Amino acid sequence: GMAQVSLGEPARALETLTPLFAGKPMPPAFYARALAHYGLKRKAEAQADIDMAIRLGLDNPNTRQWQSRIQAM
């Protein structure tokens, strides 16, 4: 997931991340999916996922920085 996002392959990252949402997804899964959506220019989906990552406890300066980038899309 994150490796594919880092390599500039957001669509492939979404394919990898989708199975993680079948159970109880963890905050890093929402974060990674938010970045994948960002890479695909899907603001609403990216915003929802980054907000959920923060609500679930992944609240740190890096996540907040991405939240700001997504909001500025």
Side-chain angles (χ1 to χ4, degrees), residues 1-10 13-14 17 32-33 35-37 39 66:
M2 279 305 297
Q4 293 155 328
V5 169
S6 297
L7 292 171
E9 300 174 350
L14 283 178
L17 293 166
R33 193 170 71 173
L35 272 55
H37 283 304
W66 273 105

Side-chain angles (χ1 to χ4, degrees), residues 1-63:
M2 279 305 297
Q4 293 155 328
V5 169
S6 297
L7 292 171
E9 300 174 350
R12 210 165 142 224
L14 283 178
E15 290 175 16
T16 301
L17 293 166
T18 297
L20 297 177
F21 289 85
K24 182 181 178 193
M26 301 299 289
F30 282 101
Y31 172 79
R33 193 170 71 173
L35 272 55
H37 283 304
Y38 177 87
L40 294 169
K41 312 263 189 278
R42 297 178 181 166
K43 181 178 181 174
E45 293 92 337
Q47 188 71 59
D49 281 344
I50 201 76
D51 290 346
M52 182 61 76
I54 290 169
R55 273 196 301 276
L56 292 175
L58 194 64
D59 192 357
N60 60 57
N62 186 55
T63 308

